Amino acid sequence: MVGKGRNSIYKQIMNNKLDFSPEERIIMARGHRFLAQFQEEMKYAEDLSDALSKSLEHLAEYFRLDRIIILETDFTNATNTLSYQWNSKEENTLSDYFQTMSEEEADGIVALYNEYGYIEVNPTHIAVKYDDSVGRIMKENVLDILLGTQLWIPTMKNGKYSGAVFFDKYDTTPYTITDKFLLSEAVNAMAVYIDRLNAENASRAKSDYLSAVSHEIRTPMNAIVGLTEVALREEMSPAMRKSLKTVQSSALGLLTLINDILDYSKIEAKRLEIISEKFNTLSLINDMYEITKARNNGKLKINLHMPENLPSSFYGDMVRIKQVMINLCSNAVKYTDKGSVDIYIDIQKIDDDNCKFLFSVKDTGIGIKKEDLKKLFKQYGQVDTTINHHKEGTGLGLMISKQLIEKMDGKISIDSVYGVGSTFSFHIPLRVINWEPAEKLEDYQYEEPEEKKVDFTAPKARILAVDDSDINLMVVSALFNPIGMTIDTVKSGYEALSMLEKNSYDLILMDHFMPGLDGVETTERIRRLDNNPNRDIPIIALTADSAEIVKQELLSNGMNDFMAKPIIIKEAYQILYRWLPNEKIQNI
């Protein structure tokens, strides 16, 4: 961000360094000790934004300043951005003063920096001569907000002026030459951290945008998944049922892509979570194996190899482990047109409590060229697109898989021969809960009917669905219609509170994000209702974000459970069965 300009303070003083008096040399030495400490505050900061704010305050205290403004200018389109500031009066914010400048004014400002190295101005004295090309900037952006004496020190990026740091004080005495030099050094000290902070903010903004877009997609996805499920309940021809099944399968595939985008945004924003818990080994393997076979659709021979001594249960993040296993197996199926896919699962014992979990999938597909191997595990795109252009996918899956495995202290690798096939492998450490060998997979009891059927009704139950989307409310009503409940729908938290004053309910489905009162605020108000039978009613969050931190936020703010969007009917019915009053449930 900052450099030594054509006629910078640094160059001016270095050219005259022998002219300093002994007193000035003492001031300079003391100032450099302060600046060393000033830089240390930011160097090891966990929260760089907070550290920068505190550092600006310390800088102001040391030099007896009343305001510091970091202004970044894009000279290509003559726009200004007030990036960071510190004010002795916190209410004195100045972003409205710095907006745009004409191309002529921008050129004039650069000319001043080139000639003087800085700009100093106070009510009675302007230390530089400027012409009409920068007159408006001086009048509107400087003189109108001047406290006493202001010093502009230019900043540079890639050899070009990029803005300035403004130092303001109520005192109208000019800045000393040592002040100017030390403040220019302070700007240099801040440079790398401001650049890094800007980069982090840009990355966070991009990640937040991806997350927002992904969440917005979930509303129409909720309709596609939910209403396809409703349509499949009807009598229809085999051809029509097959078409609807294809729509349903495609929708769930699109949902996987949306989840990948959300995971990518969390990786960029450093919010990706690993949530460990006890899990059944055969449950993990069965889910992976069945999904792989379904995606293969009879195209290839799928062989599963696992030892007889595989422990029956582990402690780890089963969801993330399964996500990686399915991604690697799905890629093997996708990029293999004939032959087979072999899946290998094994362990290596570390001690009495821990082991190394080993997984690999070998295919007879197209393989990967040696020069393309380095492109794997990168975001965006596939290798060898001339061959793979007809294959679906974004290339995000492998990058996310690598991040997940490394988050679990493991390693992922690839061995490939072009034209012959590839083997993707990973290993992670896992804590063993039960060393007793797991059963054979064919004996694993996991029953899921071909069609998801309602196994209970609740005709005497009454629930309230709260969502600002008409589509989501329609989906809720249609999906849960077979249960026979009375379902009232409202589109805001305020309407929900009004309905709760008039009626008694057995359960509330509450959208998380709504304009006005959001789901959390509405829930908090419900929990504070006086003499209202709905005060302790079960409240189930409807949310598009299943991240653990979001779940904990919802549960800690008075909600009892959460239902993900798009609504997956089997999971949704389980939640309703769990929270509806037992006396109102009729098992079929």
Side-chain angles (χ1 to χ4, degrees):
M1 174 182 165
V2 178
K4 309 294 190 295
R6 187 182 305 173
N7 190 26
S8 67
I9 296 174
Y10 179 87
K11 286 188 176 180
Q12 292 179 48
I13 291 181
M14 286 298 99
N15 290 336
N16 299 281
K17 58 185 177 181
L18 297 179
D19 296 335
F20 285 120
S21 66
E23 292 79 10
E24 288 173 328
R25 291 178 181 276
I26 293 173
I27 294 172
M28 294 279 278
R30 190 184 301 125
H32 277 111
R33 286 195 295 271
F34 163 76
L35 291 178
Q37 182 180 355
F38 169 81
Q39 193 165 7
E40 286 292 302
E41 293 175 356
M42 291 182 287
K43 184 176 181 180
Y44 298 107
E46 293 184 6
D47 186 333
L48 190 54
S49 179
D50 182 62
L52 179 60
S53 297
K54 291 179 180 177
S55 295
L56 291 179
E57 183 176 358
H58 295 162
L59 191 68
E61 290 174 355
Y62 186 86
F63 290 98
R64 296 183 177 86
L65 303 170
D66 294 286
R67 182 164 58 199
I68 302 175
I69 303 166
I70 299 175
L71 185 70
E72 294 185 78
T73 303
D74 185 345
F75 287 101
T76 60
N77 56 22
T79 57
N80 294 309
T81 303
L82 196 156
S83 300
Y84 310 96
Q85 65 173 324
W86 177 86
N87 294 282
S88 58
K89 295 183 178 180
E90 293 184 2
E91 73 281 1
N92 187 11
T93 56
L94 304 171
S95 57
D96 292 339
Y97 282 88
F98 299 98
Q99 300 295 332
T100 61
M101 64 176 74
S102 68
E103 185 176 346
E104 185 182 15
E105 289 168 339
D107 291 341
I109 292 293
V110 171
L112 289 178
Y113 288 150
N114 281 334
E115 183 176 357
Y116 296 95
Y118 62 92
I119 298 174
E120 183 183 354
V121 60
N122 66 36
T124 60
H125 170 71
I126 297 177
V128 298
K129 295 179 181 180
Y130 59 87
D131 54 29
D132 290 340
S133 65
V134 292
R136 183 185 70 84
I137 296 295
M138 284 296 184
K139 182 179 185 303
E140 296 181 9
N141 290 1
V142 181
L143 299 179
D144 284 359
I145 61 170
L146 194 64
L147 296 181
T149 303
Q150 189 173 94
L151 179 69
W152 297 15
I153 295 179
T155 58
M156 299 183 70
K157 190 170 187 177
N158 299 324
K160 297 181 179 180
Y161 289 104
S162 61
V165 180
F166 298 177
F167 300 101
D168 243 348
K169 60 183 179 180
Y170 287 111
D171 186 357
T172 59
T173 58
Y175 291 85
T176 66
I177 191 64
T178 53
D179 282 344
K180 293 174 184 176
F181 179 78
L182 291 170
L183 287 173
S184 73
E185 290 294 281
V187 172
N188 280 317
M190 287 187 288
V192 63
Y193 302 104
I194 293 173
D195 275 351
R196 194 173 86 192
L197 190 56
N198 287 342
E200 289 177 0
N201 290 339
S203 176
R204 188 173 295 109
K206 181 173 68 175
S207 299
D208 288 345
Y209 173 75
L210 286 173
S211 180
V213 169
S214 300
H215 281 77
E216 286 299 316
I217 294 173
R218 283 178 178 268
T219 294
M221 279 296 299
N222 195 32
I224 295 170
V225 173
L227 296 181
T228 301
E229 178 69 37
V230 172
L232 284 168
R233 296 170 180 165
E234 305 297 325
E235 293 293 330
M236 64 187 74
S237 68
M240 180 62 72
R241 182 169 295 278
K242 182 178 180 181
S243 295
L244 282 176
K245 280 287 189 181
T246 302
V247 171
Q248 187 180 56
S249 176
S250 298
L252 293 175
L254 181 56
L255 183 59
T256 299
L257 173 59
I258 294 169
N259 289 334
D260 279 351
I261 295 173
L262 280 171
D263 276 346
Y264 174 69
S265 69
K266 291 172 186 174
I267 289 169
E268 288 244 306
K270 300 180 180 179
R271 300 172 187 161
L272 191 68
E273 302 163 309
I274 298 297
I275 309 299
S276 295
E277 56 188 1
K278 178 183 175 181
F279 67 87
N280 182 290
T281 306
L282 289 185
S283 176
L284 166 70
I285 296 172
N286 182 80
D287 288 355
M288 175 275 301
Y289 189 45
E290 292 300 321
I291 291 173
T292 300
K293 289 193 297 182
R295 294 182 178 177
N296 176 55
N297 198 25
K299 179 179 68 169
L300 308 165
K301 186 176 181 180
I302 307 295
N303 305 308
L304 178 62
H305 311 270
M306 48 187 285
E308 295 182 355
N309 66 339
L310 204 62
S312 58
S313 59
F314 293 97
Y315 183 81
D317 193 330
M318 173 179 165
V319 173
R320 293 304 194 181
I321 297 170
K322 181 165 62 177
Q323 179 180 346
V324 176
M325 293 167 71
I326 291 173
N327 177 256
L328 297 183
C329 290
S330 296
N331 283 344
V333 168
K334 183 192 304 183
Y335 296 110
T336 303
D337 293 327
K338 59 182 180 179
S340 63
V341 169
D342 287 84
I343 303 168
Y344 299 88
I345 299 171
D346 206 346
I347 63 160
Q348 288 180 359
K349 185 174 181 179
I350 297 175
D351 55 37
D352 290 342
D353 297 315
N354 301 280
C355 75
K356 183 183 290 187
F357 183 84
L358 310 171
F359 177 87
S360 65
V361 54
K362 181 179 181 180
D363 63 57
T364 56
I366 56 179
I368 303 167
K369 294 178 181 178
K370 186 175 181 180
E371 61 267 25
D372 286 332
L373 289 175
K374 60 180 179 296
K375 301 177 185 177
L376 291 174
F377 307 115
K378 306 285 186 183
Q379 69 263 41
Y380 305 135
Q382 305 166 328
V383 299
D384 209 349
T385 53
T386 56
I387 294 178
N388 299 330
H389 69 279
H390 64 290
K391 306 291 187 181
E392 297 178 352
T394 62
L396 280 177
L398 282 178
M399 185 274 289
I400 293 170
S401 295
K402 181 176 186 291
Q403 294 281 343
L404 289 172
I405 292 300
E406 291 178 351
K407 270 274 192 179
M408 292 184 280
D409 298 322
K411 184 177 180 181
I412 192 167
S413 60
I414 165 73
D415 182 20
S416 184
V417 178
Y418 189 62
V420 177
S422 304
T423 301
F424 283 84
S425 306
F426 73 78
H427 62 78
I428 54 172
L430 284 180
R431 181 153 63 90
V432 178
I433 298 297
N434 189 347
W435 284 99
E436 184 178 340
E439 301 173 352
K440 293 182 178 180
L441 188 61
E442 54 266 30
D443 297 329
Y444 176 63
Q445 297 298 312
Y446 180 81
E447 297 181 1
E448 182 178 7
E450 182 179 348
E451 300 293 336
K452 301 180 179 71
K453 298 179 181 179
V454 182
D455 56 3
F456 73 94
T457 61
K460 295 182 180 181
R462 186 175 187 179
I463 73 170
L464 179 65
V466 189
D467 199 303
D468 63 307
S469 166
D470 287 324
I471 293 176
N472 287 337
L473 292 174
M474 179 177 69
V475 170
V476 166
S477 297
L479 279 177
F480 299 149
N481 181 62
I483 297 177
M485 304 177 295
T486 299
I487 304 175
D488 294 336
T489 60
V490 294
K491 294 181 63 178
S492 73
Y494 296 107
E495 291 180 58
L497 292 170
S498 177
M499 291 291 282
L500 292 171
E501 292 292 338
K502 304 172 186 176
N503 308 295
S504 292
Y505 291 98
D506 297 301
L507 182 145
I508 299 175
L509 296 176
M510 182 74 70
D511 187 23
H512 185 188
F513 295 110
M514 295 184 291
L517 282 180
D518 66 16
V520 171
E521 293 169 326
T522 305
T523 298
E524 290 175 344
R525 293 198 182 191
I526 292 172
R527 298 308 186 205
R528 294 198 302 266
L529 291 174
D530 292 328
N531 301 318
N532 189 306
N534 295 305
R535 176 174 178 170
D536 298 319
I537 187 173
I539 300 177
I540 312 302
L542 287 171
T543 177
D545 193 338
S546 59
E548 187 66 23
I549 189 171
V550 175
K551 295 177 183 178
Q552 294 305 320
E553 177 194 357
L554 298 175
L555 296 178
S556 64
N557 282 282
M559 296 190 183
N560 300 90
D561 211 332
F562 39 86
M563 192 178 292
K565 298 179 191 175
I567 296 173
I568 305 301
I569 191 65
K570 179 183 177 182
E571 298 172 1
Y573 279 1
Q574 290 174 345
I575 292 171
L576 292 177
Y577 190 85
R578 184 184 308 143
W579 291 104
L580 285 172
N582 290 333
E583 64 273 14
K584 294 189 178 182
I585 290 178
Q586 298 178 7
N587 293 308
I588 296 176

